[in-house]
Amino acid sequence: MTERAVRRAVEADVPEMARIVCDWEAATEWMDSPYGPEEIAGFIREAMPEREIWVAGEPIEGYLSFDPSVSRVGGLYCRTTGAGMGKTLMDRAKAGRNFVWLTTHEPNERAQKFYKREGFEEVSRHEAEPPNTVREVRMEWRA
């Protein structure tokens, strides 16, 4: 994936980003979400002014949401894995920073392996905040 394939998200991208999340949730046996595509689109739209949101691919194949006020990756979703898209998006989040953190779901071992390859270290495990029910793993990266 080339750097040119990644750009800042715009309002028109929100429905496709919400579809990517919903498709992932539907395909993930242990993930139970109380939200549909409209609610997820609303969450993304609401977060856009405060977050750096990057999309990859045309049509959009993945996105990353980053909250610079707390150095947190709030979401990284890709339709396919192993193509370098997640790494390219994560490189955007880490660029020019000394510290980034995120949480992933405890059963999502594939994501944990990816984050470890990206230099993240596990720092804790905890219960999810309602309405979520799947335990989470906090991971941190330092330059």
Side-chain angles (χ1 to χ4, degrees):
M1 168 134 316
T2 66
E3 283 295 311
R4 291 185 307 255
V6 175
R7 63 175 172 77
R8 286 294 287 263
V10 296
E11 174 76 23
D13 298 325
V14 170
E16 191 57 30
M17 290 186 288
R19 265 193 291 285
I20 290 169
V21 174
C22 288
D23 289 349
W24 177 81
E25 289 176 344
T28 304
E29 184 177 305
W30 47 262
M31 188 66 191
D32 183 28
S33 175
Y35 306 113
E38 295 80 23
E39 291 95 350
I40 291 172
F43 297 147
I44 295 169
R45 206 172 275 112
E46 186 178 303
M48 284 186 93
E50 292 87 31
R51 304 244 176 113
E52 294 178 14
I53 302 179
W54 300 93
V55 294
E58 271 312 318
I60 297 169
E61 290 292 318
Y63 83 93
L64 181 141
S65 176
F66 182 78
D67 184 342
S69 70
V70 293
S71 299
R72 180 177 186 243
V73 172
L76 172 58
Y77 293 90
C78 297
R79 287 202 186 278
T80 58
T81 59
M85 188 180 320
K87 177 172 180 29
T88 300
L89 289 164
M90 187 58 72
D91 287 348
R92 285 288 176 120
K94 294 189 304 189
R97 296 186 169 85
N98 296 330
F99 173 77
V100 172
W101 71 280
L102 55 82
T103 59
T104 187
H105 301 99
E106 196 172 64
N108 197 347
E109 293 175 359
R110 188 174 197 167
Q112 292 168 47
K113 287 178 185 176
F114 166 75
Y115 296 131
K116 286 178 183 176
R117 283 193 309 271
E118 289 301 303
F120 285 79
E121 295 181 4
E122 179 180 326
V123 294
S124 66
R125 292 181 180 240
H126 57 273
E127 297 301 323
E129 291 183 26
N132 297 317
T133 58
V134 179
R135 283 180 54 85
E136 296 179 331
V137 178
R138 179 180 169 129
M139 301 183 83
E140 296 179 354
W141 170 85
R142 296 181 193 285

